[in-house]
PDB file of all heavy atoms in Angstrom:
ATOM      1  N   ALA K   1      -7.055   1.159  -8.491  1.00 87.00           N
ATOM      2  CA  ALA K   1      -7.040  -0.308  -8.150  1.00 87.00           C
ATOM      3  C   ALA K   1      -8.139  -0.640  -7.068  1.00 87.00           C
ATOM      4  O   ALA K   1      -8.779  -1.667  -7.232  1.00 87.00           O
ATOM      5  CB  ALA K   1      -5.592  -0.707  -7.671  1.00 87.00           C
ATOM      6  N   VAL K   2      -8.249   0.221  -6.081  1.00 87.00           N
ATOM      7  CA  VAL K   2      -9.267  -0.151  -5.066  1.00 87.00           C
ATOM      8  C   VAL K   2     -10.618   0.386  -5.262  1.00 87.00           C
ATOM      9  O   VAL K   2     -11.578   0.115  -4.421  1.00 87.00           O
ATOM     10  CB  VAL K   2      -8.758   0.372  -3.626  1.00 87.00           C
ATOM     11  CG1 VAL K   2      -7.422  -0.108  -3.271  1.00 87.00           C
ATOM     12  CG2 VAL K   2      -8.719   1.954  -3.626  1.00 87.00           C
ATOM     13  N   LYS K   3     -10.787   1.075  -6.435  1.00 85.00           N
ATOM     14  CA  LYS K   3     -12.173   1.473  -6.731  1.00 85.00           C
ATOM     15  C   LYS K   3     -13.066   0.316  -7.031  1.00 85.00           C
ATOM     16  O   LYS K   3     -12.686  -0.539  -7.809  1.00 85.00           O
ATOM     17  CB  LYS K   3     -12.102   2.436  -7.894  1.00 85.00           C
ATOM     18  CG  LYS K   3     -13.415   3.120  -8.250  1.00 85.00           C
ATOM     19  CD  LYS K   3     -13.139   4.071  -9.491  1.00 85.00           C
ATOM     20  CE  LYS K   3     -14.381   4.784  -9.881  1.00 85.00           C
ATOM     21  NZ  LYS K   3     -15.494   3.947 -10.443  1.00 85.00           N
ATOM     22  N   ASP K   4     -14.274   0.295  -6.454  1.00 82.00           N
ATOM     23  CA  ASP K   4     -15.221  -0.717  -6.947  1.00 82.00           C
ATOM     24  C   ASP K   4     -16.680  -0.243  -6.902  1.00 82.00           C
ATOM     25  O   ASP K   4     -16.846   0.989  -6.822  1.00 82.00           O
ATOM     26  CB  ASP K   4     -15.152  -1.940  -5.905  1.00 82.00           C
ATOM     27  CG  ASP K   4     -15.457  -1.575  -4.428  1.00 82.00           C
ATOM     28  OD1 ASP K   4     -16.091  -0.518  -4.285  1.00 82.00           O
ATOM     29  OD2 ASP K   4     -15.035  -2.256  -3.474  1.00 82.00           O
ATOM     30  N   ASP K   5     -17.660  -1.026  -7.152  1.00 77.00           N
ATOM     31  CA  ASP K   5     -19.034  -0.545  -7.208  1.00 77.00           C
ATOM     32  C   ASP K   5     -19.563   0.178  -5.960  1.00 77.00           C
ATOM     33  O   ASP K   5     -20.495   0.964  -6.107  1.00 77.00           O
ATOM     34  CB  ASP K   5     -19.947  -1.751  -7.540  1.00 77.00           C
ATOM     35  CG  ASP K   5     -19.591  -2.473  -8.798  1.00 77.00           C
ATOM     36  OD1 ASP K   5     -18.899  -1.785  -9.681  1.00 77.00           O
ATOM     37  OD2 ASP K   5     -19.880  -3.701  -9.023  1.00 77.00           O
ATOM     38  N   ASP K   6     -18.913  -0.109  -4.796  1.00 78.00           N
ATOM     39  CA  ASP K   6     -19.396   0.554  -3.575  1.00 78.00           C
ATOM     40  C   ASP K   6     -18.671   1.913  -3.393  1.00 78.00           C
ATOM     41  O   ASP K   6     -18.963   2.659  -2.375  1.00 78.00           O
ATOM     42  CB  ASP K   6     -19.068  -0.352  -2.360  1.00 78.00           C
ATOM     43  CG  ASP K   6     -19.773  -1.728  -2.437  1.00 78.00           C
ATOM     44  OD1 ASP K   6     -20.937  -1.677  -2.908  1.00 78.00           O
ATOM     45  OD2 ASP K   6     -19.197  -2.738  -1.964  1.00 78.00           O
ATOM     46  N   GLY K   7     -17.842   2.343  -4.267  1.00 79.00           N
ATOM     47  CA  GLY K   7     -17.168   3.620  -4.125  1.00 79.00           C
ATOM     48  C   GLY K   7     -15.626   3.380  -3.996  1.00 79.00           C
ATOM     49  O   GLY K   7     -15.091   2.306  -4.425  1.00 79.00           O
ATOM     50  N   ILE K   8     -14.948   4.254  -3.270  1.00 84.00           N
ATOM     51  CA  ILE K   8     -13.591   4.268  -3.032  1.00 84.00           C
ATOM     52  C   ILE K   8     -13.257   4.326  -1.535  1.00 84.00           C
ATOM     53  O   ILE K   8     -13.537   5.308  -0.995  1.00 84.00           O
ATOM     54  CB  ILE K   8     -12.871   5.285  -3.882  1.00 84.00           C
ATOM     55  CG1 ILE K   8     -13.134   5.230  -5.355  1.00 84.00           C
ATOM     56  CG2 ILE K   8     -11.344   5.227  -3.624  1.00 84.00           C
ATOM     57  CD1 ILE K   8     -12.777   6.413  -6.035  1.00 84.00           C
ATOM     58  N   ASP K   9     -12.715   3.334  -0.956  1.00 83.00           N
ATOM     59  CA  ASP K   9     -12.243   3.349   0.450  1.00 83.00           C
ATOM     60  C   ASP K   9     -10.771   3.445   0.402  1.00 83.00           C
ATOM     61  O   ASP K   9     -10.078   2.320   0.176  1.00 83.00           O
ATOM     62  CB  ASP K   9     -12.777   2.214   1.113  1.00 83.00           C
ATOM     63  CG  ASP K   9     -12.365   2.188   2.672  1.00 83.00           C
ATOM     64  OD1 ASP K   9     -11.744   3.194   3.029  1.00 83.00           O
ATOM     65  OD2 ASP K   9     -12.879   1.387   3.424  1.00 83.00           O
ATOM     66  N   THR K  10     -10.146   4.454   0.725  1.00 83.00           N
ATOM     67  CA  THR K  10      -8.607   4.555   0.684  1.00 83.00           C
ATOM     68  C   THR K  10      -7.962   3.721   1.868  1.00 83.00           C
ATOM     69  O   THR K  10      -6.792   3.689   1.848  1.00 83.00           O
ATOM     70  CB  THR K  10      -8.092   6.104   0.658  1.00 83.00           C
ATOM     71  OG1 THR K  10      -8.740   6.764   1.746  1.00 83.00           O
ATOM     72  CG2 THR K  10      -8.490   6.867  -0.519  1.00 83.00           C
ATOM     73  N   ASN K  11      -8.784   3.292   2.767  1.00 83.00           N
ATOM     74  CA  ASN K  11      -8.150   2.277   3.746  1.00 83.00           C
ATOM     75  C   ASN K  11      -7.729   1.087   3.076  1.00 83.00           C
ATOM     76  O   ASN K  11      -6.954   0.363   3.780  1.00 83.00           O
ATOM     77  CB  ASN K  11      -9.289   2.080   4.840  1.00 83.00           C
ATOM     78  CG  ASN K  11      -9.548   3.244   5.738  1.00 83.00           C
ATOM     79  OD1 ASN K  11      -8.697   4.077   5.972  1.00 83.00           O
ATOM     80  ND2 ASN K  11     -10.767   3.307   6.218  1.00 83.00           N
ATOM     81  N   ASN K  12      -8.124   0.838   1.877  1.00 86.00           N
ATOM     82  CA  ASN K  12      -7.664  -0.364   1.257  1.00 86.00           C
ATOM     83  C   ASN K  12      -6.299  -0.203   0.505  1.00 86.00           C
ATOM     84  O   ASN K  12      -5.777  -1.053  -0.036  1.00 86.00           O
ATOM     85  CB  ASN K  12      -8.777  -0.817   0.048  1.00 86.00           C
ATOM     86  CG  ASN K  12     -10.038  -1.360   0.734  1.00 86.00           C
ATOM     87  OD1 ASN K  12      -9.960  -2.117   1.766  1.00 86.00           O
ATOM     88  ND2 ASN K  12     -11.151  -1.002   0.319  1.00 86.00           N
ATOM     89  N   VAL K  13      -5.902   1.105   0.653  1.00 89.00           N
ATOM     90  CA  VAL K  13      -4.553   1.434   0.209  1.00 89.00           C
ATOM     91  C   VAL K  13      -3.630   1.376   1.521  1.00 89.00           C
ATOM     92  O   VAL K  13      -3.697   2.307   2.245  1.00 89.00           O
ATOM     93  CB  VAL K  13      -4.440   2.649  -0.475  1.00 89.00           C
ATOM     94  CG1 VAL K  13      -2.852   2.876  -0.954  1.00 89.00           C
ATOM     95  CG2 VAL K  13      -5.332   2.755  -1.743  1.00 89.00           C
ATOM     96  N   SER K  14      -2.899   0.401   1.755  1.00 88.00           N
ATOM     97  CA  SER K  14      -2.115   0.218   2.993  1.00 88.00           C
ATOM     98  C   SER K  14      -0.772   1.008   2.677  1.00 88.00           C
ATOM     99  O   SER K  14      -0.307   0.875   1.540  1.00 88.00           O
ATOM    100  CB  SER K  14      -1.882  -1.295   3.223  1.00 88.00           C
ATOM    101  OG  SER K  14      -1.000  -1.333   4.341  1.00 88.00           O
ATOM    102  N   ILE K  15      -0.236   1.630   3.725  1.00 90.00           N
ATOM    103  CA  ILE K  15       1.047   2.299   3.492  1.00 90.00           C
ATOM    104  C   ILE K  15       2.095   1.731   4.414  1.00 90.00           C
ATOM    105  O   ILE K  15       1.879   1.681   5.624  1.00 90.00           O
ATOM    106  CB  ILE K  15       0.861   3.804   3.773  1.00 90.00           C
ATOM    107  CG1 ILE K  15      -0.064   4.487   2.735  1.00 90.00           C
ATOM    108  CG2 ILE K  15       2.195   4.574   3.783  1.00 90.00           C
ATOM    109  CD1 ILE K  15      -0.380   5.987   3.067  1.00 90.00           C
ATOM    110  N   GLU K  16       3.189   1.211   3.859  1.00 88.00           N
ATOM    111  CA  GLU K  16       4.290   0.592   4.549  1.00 88.00           C
ATOM    112  C   GLU K  16       5.459   1.688   4.510  1.00 88.00           C
ATOM    113  O   GLU K  16       5.977   1.957   3.375  1.00 88.00           O
ATOM    114  CB  GLU K  16       4.739  -0.706   3.965  1.00 88.00           C
ATOM    115  CG  GLU K  16       3.724  -1.753   4.321  1.00 88.00           C
ATOM    116  CD  GLU K  16       3.862  -2.285   5.795  1.00 88.00           C
ATOM    117  OE1 GLU K  16       4.883  -2.188   6.415  1.00 88.00           O
ATOM    118  OE2 GLU K  16       2.788  -2.643   6.258  1.00 88.00           O
ATOM    119  N   LYS K  17       5.927   2.069   5.683  1.00 88.00           N
ATOM    120  CA  LYS K  17       7.104   3.053   5.746  1.00 88.00           C
ATOM    121  C   LYS K  17       8.382   2.319   5.915  1.00 88.00           C
ATOM    122  O   LYS K  17       8.483   1.492   6.854  1.00 88.00           O
ATOM    123  CB  LYS K  17       6.885   4.121   6.870  1.00 88.00           C
ATOM    124  CG  LYS K  17       5.570   4.930   6.617  1.00 88.00           C
ATOM    125  CD  LYS K  17       5.424   5.998   7.732  1.00 88.00           C
ATOM    126  CE  LYS K  17       5.074   5.250   9.019  1.00 88.00           C
ATOM    127  NZ  LYS K  17       4.872   6.343  10.078  1.00 88.00           N
ATOM    128  N   VAL K  18       9.337   2.591   5.112  1.00 87.00           N
ATOM    129  CA  VAL K  18      10.652   1.857   5.269  1.00 87.00           C
ATOM    130  C   VAL K  18      11.706   2.985   5.278  1.00 87.00           C
ATOM    131  O   VAL K  18      11.857   3.797   4.291  1.00 87.00           O
ATOM    132  CB  VAL K  18      10.867   0.964   4.072  1.00 87.00           C
ATOM    133  CG1 VAL K  18      12.231   0.326   4.247  1.00 87.00           C
ATOM    134  CG2 VAL K  18       9.731  -0.103   4.023  1.00 87.00           C
ATOM    135  N   VAL K  19      12.536   3.028   6.360  1.00 87.00           N
ATOM    136  CA  VAL K  19      13.635   4.054   6.524  1.00 87.00           C
ATOM    137  C   VAL K  19      14.739   3.330   5.793  1.00 87.00           C
ATOM    138  O   VAL K  19      15.286   2.257   6.144  1.00 87.00           O
ATOM    139  CB  VAL K  19      13.921   4.290   7.888  1.00 87.00           C
ATOM    140  CG1 VAL K  19      15.071   5.224   8.024  1.00 87.00           C
ATOM    141  CG2 VAL K  19      12.780   5.004   8.638  1.00 87.00           C
ATOM    142  N   GLY K  20      15.271   3.950   4.749  1.00 82.00           N
ATOM    143  CA  GLY K  20      16.411   3.489   3.968  1.00 82.00           C
ATOM    144  C   GLY K  20      16.119   3.790   2.503  1.00 82.00           C
ATOM    145  O   GLY K  20      15.005   3.653   2.107  1.00 82.00           O
ATOM    146  N   GLY K  21      17.218   3.999   1.758  1.00 80.00           N
ATOM    147  CA  GLY K  21      16.909   4.312   0.297  1.00 80.00           C
ATOM    148  C   GLY K  21      16.524   5.771   0.144  1.00 80.00           C
ATOM    149  O   GLY K  21      16.558   6.528   0.991  1.00 80.00           O
ATOM    150  N   THR K  22      15.945   6.074  -1.036  1.00 86.00           N
ATOM    151  CA  THR K  22      15.482   7.445  -1.287  1.00 86.00           C
ATOM    152  C   THR K  22      14.024   7.443  -1.588  1.00 86.00           C
ATOM    153  O   THR K  22      13.443   6.256  -1.822  1.00 86.00           O
ATOM    154  CB  THR K  22      16.266   8.085  -2.468  1.00 86.00           C
ATOM    155  OG1 THR K  22      15.859   7.338  -3.694  1.00 86.00           O
ATOM    156  CG2 THR K  22      17.789   8.074  -2.260  1.00 86.00           C
ATOM    157  N   ILE K  23      13.427   8.572  -1.745  1.00 87.00           N
ATOM    158  CA  ILE K  23      12.017   8.629  -2.022  1.00 87.00           C
ATOM    159  C   ILE K  23      11.672   7.970  -3.393  1.00 87.00           C
ATOM    160  O   ILE K  23      10.747   7.391  -3.576  1.00 87.00           O
ATOM    161  CB  ILE K  23      11.542  10.102  -2.040  1.00 87.00           C
ATOM    162  CG1 ILE K  23      11.654  10.676  -0.524  1.00 87.00           C
ATOM    163  CG2 ILE K  23      10.067  10.238  -2.431  1.00 87.00           C
ATOM    164  CD1 ILE K  23      11.295  12.116  -0.420  1.00 87.00           C
ATOM    165  N   ASP K  24      12.681   8.152  -4.342  1.00 88.00           N
ATOM    166  CA  ASP K  24      12.436   7.629  -5.637  1.00 88.00           C
ATOM    167  C   ASP K  24      12.336   6.004  -5.657  1.00 88.00           C
ATOM    168  O   ASP K  24      11.925   5.412  -6.579  1.00 88.00           O
ATOM    169  CB  ASP K  24      13.695   7.943  -6.544  1.00 88.00           C
ATOM    170  CG  ASP K  24      13.648   9.494  -6.856  1.00 88.00           C
ATOM    171  OD1 ASP K  24      12.583   9.986  -7.134  1.00 88.00           O
ATOM    172  OD2 ASP K  24      14.780  10.170  -6.891  1.00 88.00           O
ATOM    173  N   ASN K  25      12.741   5.428  -4.540  1.00 86.00           N
ATOM    174  CA  ASN K  25      12.699   4.014  -4.423  1.00 86.00           C
ATOM    175  C   ASN K  25      11.300   3.462  -3.966  1.00 86.00           C
ATOM    176  O   ASN K  25      11.048   2.314  -3.905  1.00 86.00           O
ATOM    177  CB  ASN K  25      13.717   3.338  -3.429  1.00 86.00           C
ATOM    178  CG  ASN K  25      15.164   3.711  -3.790  1.00 86.00           C
ATOM    179  OD1 ASN K  25      16.003   4.072  -3.013  1.00 86.00           O
ATOM    180  ND2 ASN K  25      15.541   3.480  -5.060  1.00 86.00           N
ATOM    181  N   SER K  26      10.406   4.441  -3.803  1.00 89.00           N
ATOM    182  CA  SER K  26       9.042   3.949  -3.321  1.00 89.00           C
ATOM    183  C   SER K  26       8.420   3.315  -4.431  1.00 89.00           C
ATOM    184  O   SER K  26       8.654   3.505  -5.654  1.00 89.00           O
ATOM    185  CB  SER K  26       8.245   5.271  -2.964  1.00 89.00           C
ATOM    186  OG  SER K  26       8.859   5.977  -1.957  1.00 89.00           O
ATOM    187  N   GLU K  27       7.488   2.341  -4.069  1.00 89.00           N
ATOM    188  CA  GLU K  27       6.923   1.513  -5.180  1.00 89.00           C
ATOM    189  C   GLU K  27       5.441   1.085  -4.686  1.00 89.00           C
ATOM    190  O   GLU K  27       5.049   1.198  -3.554  1.00 89.00           O
ATOM    191  CB  GLU K  27       7.640   0.339  -5.429  1.00 89.00           C
ATOM    192  CG  GLU K  27       7.884  -0.656  -4.248  1.00 89.00           C
ATOM    193  CD  GLU K  27       8.773  -1.797  -4.469  1.00 89.00           C
ATOM    194  OE1 GLU K  27       8.434  -2.541  -5.503  1.00 89.00           O
ATOM    195  OE2 GLU K  27       9.737  -2.039  -3.892  1.00 89.00           O
ATOM    196  N   LEU K  28       4.659   0.623  -5.678  1.00 89.00           N
ATOM    197  CA  LEU K  28       3.352   0.168  -5.445  1.00 89.00           C
ATOM    198  C   LEU K  28       3.320  -1.281  -5.600  1.00 89.00           C
ATOM    199  O   LEU K  28       3.733  -1.869  -6.646  1.00 89.00           O
ATOM    200  CB  LEU K  28       2.287   0.783  -6.447  1.00 89.00           C
ATOM    201  CG  LEU K  28       0.856   0.389  -6.180  1.00 89.00           C
ATOM    202  CD1 LEU K  28       0.236   0.824  -4.873  1.00 89.00           C
ATOM    203  CD2 LEU K  28      -0.032   0.894  -7.344  1.00 89.00           C
ATOM    204  N   VAL K  29       2.851  -2.041  -4.564  1.00 87.00           N
ATOM    205  CA  VAL K  29       2.723  -3.526  -4.627  1.00 87.00           C
ATOM    206  C   VAL K  29       1.225  -3.810  -4.857  1.00 87.00           C
ATOM    207  O   VAL K  29       0.401  -3.422  -4.052  1.00 87.00           O
ATOM    208  CB  VAL K  29       3.245  -4.137  -3.430  1.00 87.00           C
ATOM    209  CG1 VAL K  29       2.904  -5.614  -3.423  1.00 87.00           C
ATOM    210  CG2 VAL K  29       4.721  -3.997  -3.285  1.00 87.00           C
ATOM    211  N   GLU K  30       0.857  -4.468  -5.955  1.00 86.00           N
ATOM    212  CA  GLU K  30      -0.561  -4.821  -6.126  1.00 86.00           C
ATOM    213  C   GLU K  30      -0.810  -6.112  -5.370  1.00 86.00           C
ATOM    214  O   GLU K  30      -0.824  -7.272  -5.852  1.00 86.00           O
ATOM    215  CB  GLU K  30      -0.839  -4.990  -7.705  1.00 86.00           C
ATOM    216  CG  GLU K  30      -0.673  -3.765  -8.388  1.00 86.00           C
ATOM    217  CD  GLU K  30      -1.441  -3.716  -9.791  1.00 86.00           C
ATOM    218  OE1 GLU K  30      -2.073  -4.723 -10.015  1.00 86.00           O
ATOM    219  OE2 GLU K  30      -1.376  -2.707 -10.429  1.00 86.00           O
ATOM    220  N   GLY K  31      -1.147  -5.843  -4.147  1.00 87.00           N
ATOM    221  CA  GLY K  31      -1.381  -6.919  -3.189  1.00 87.00           C
ATOM    222  C   GLY K  31      -1.174  -6.426  -1.799  1.00 87.00           C
ATOM    223  O   GLY K  31      -1.240  -5.278  -1.515  1.00 87.00           O
ATOM    224  N   VAL K  32      -0.837  -7.298  -0.835  1.00 89.00           N
ATOM    225  CA  VAL K  32      -0.718  -6.918   0.538  1.00 89.00           C
ATOM    226  C   VAL K  32       0.671  -7.318   1.122  1.00 89.00           C
ATOM    227  O   VAL K  32       1.114  -8.351   0.738  1.00 89.00           O
ATOM    228  CB  VAL K  32      -1.721  -7.707   1.341  1.00 89.00           C
ATOM    229  CG1 VAL K  32      -1.748  -7.360   2.813  1.00 89.00           C
ATOM    230  CG2 VAL K  32      -3.270  -7.366   0.837  1.00 89.00           C
ATOM    231  N   ILE K  33       1.111  -6.439   1.958  1.00 89.00           N
ATOM    232  CA  ILE K  33       2.345  -6.683   2.734  1.00 89.00           C
ATOM    233  C   ILE K  33       2.021  -6.937   4.153  1.00 89.00           C
ATOM    234  O   ILE K  33       1.422  -5.906   4.722  1.00 89.00           O
ATOM    235  CB  ILE K  33       3.419  -5.541   2.489  1.00 89.00           C
ATOM    236  CG1 ILE K  33       3.753  -5.461   0.948  1.00 89.00           C
ATOM    237  CG2 ILE K  33       4.677  -5.833   3.270  1.00 89.00           C
ATOM    238  CD1 ILE K  33       4.635  -4.212   0.736  1.00 89.00           C
ATOM    239  N   VAL K  34       2.428  -8.036   4.678  1.00 89.00           N
ATOM    240  CA  VAL K  34       2.111  -8.303   6.074  1.00 89.00           C
ATOM    241  C   VAL K  34       3.333  -8.130   6.966  1.00 89.00           C
ATOM    242  O   VAL K  34       4.294  -8.878   6.553  1.00 89.00           O
ATOM    243  CB  VAL K  34       1.391  -9.682   6.357  1.00 89.00           C
ATOM    244  CG1 VAL K  34       1.060  -9.914   7.788  1.00 89.00           C
ATOM    245  CG2 VAL K  34       0.204  -9.828   5.442  1.00 89.00           C
ATOM    246  N   ASP K  35       3.311  -7.293   7.887  1.00 88.00           N
ATOM    247  CA  ASP K  35       4.589  -7.013   8.679  1.00 88.00           C
ATOM    248  C   ASP K  35       4.835  -8.099   9.687  1.00 88.00           C
ATOM    249  O   ASP K  35       4.797  -7.994  10.876  1.00 88.00           O
ATOM    250  CB  ASP K  35       4.425  -5.664   9.395  1.00 88.00           C
ATOM    251  CG  ASP K  35       5.717  -5.208   9.942  1.00 88.00           C
ATOM    252  OD1 ASP K  35       6.749  -5.841   9.640  1.00 88.00           O
ATOM    253  OD2 ASP K  35       5.741  -4.239  10.603  1.00 88.00           O
ATOM    254  N   LYS K  36       5.041  -9.334   9.178  1.00 89.00           N
ATOM    255  CA  LYS K  36       5.284 -10.555   9.903  1.00 89.00           C
ATOM    256  C   LYS K  36       6.261 -11.448   9.266  1.00 89.00           C
ATOM    257  O   LYS K  36       6.580 -11.154   8.119  1.00 89.00           O
ATOM    258  CB  LYS K  36       3.961 -11.402  10.128  1.00 89.00           C
ATOM    259  CG  LYS K  36       2.803 -10.712  10.941  1.00 89.00           C
ATOM    260  CD  LYS K  36       3.129 -10.735  12.393  1.00 89.00           C
ATOM    261  CE  LYS K  36       2.047  -9.930  13.112  1.00 89.00           C
ATOM    262  NZ  LYS K  36       2.291  -9.860  14.584  1.00 89.00           N
ATOM    263  N   GLU K  37       6.715 -12.484   9.839  1.00 89.00           N
ATOM    264  CA  GLU K  37       7.576 -13.483   9.263  1.00 89.00           C
ATOM    265  C   GLU K  37       6.910 -14.847   9.273  1.00 89.00           C
ATOM    266  O   GLU K  37       6.020 -15.071  10.122  1.00 89.00           O
ATOM    267  CB  GLU K  37       8.930 -13.595  10.058  1.00 89.00           C
ATOM    268  CG  GLU K  37       9.718 -12.298   9.891  1.00 89.00           C
ATOM    269  CD  GLU K  37      11.052 -12.455  10.755  1.00 89.00           C
ATOM    270  OE1 GLU K  37      11.689 -13.531  10.716  1.00 89.00           O
ATOM    271  OE2 GLU K  37      11.467 -11.544  11.409  1.00 89.00           O
TER     272      GLU K  37
END
């Protein structure tokens, strides 16, 4: 998804850690999650 003509910058893959649930509940959101309200 983040690959483009300039190459691949894995910094564009943001990782949000959530305590609760199981590893199987992990998911990919095609977009951005901002840790704010």
Side-chain angles (χ1 to χ4, degrees):
V2 300
K3 183 179 185 295
D4 58 21
D5 297 338
D6 298 328
I8 303 165
D9 184 357
T10 49
N11 288 330
N12 290 318
V13 180
S14 176
I15 295 175
E16 285 286 329
K17 298 181 290 185
V18 179
V19 177
T22 65
I23 298 175
D24 290 319
N25 299 136
S26 301
E27 60 180 308
L28 177 69
V29 174
E30 292 201 2
V32 178
I33 299 173
V34 181
D35 193 6
K36 297 282 179 185
E37 297 179 37

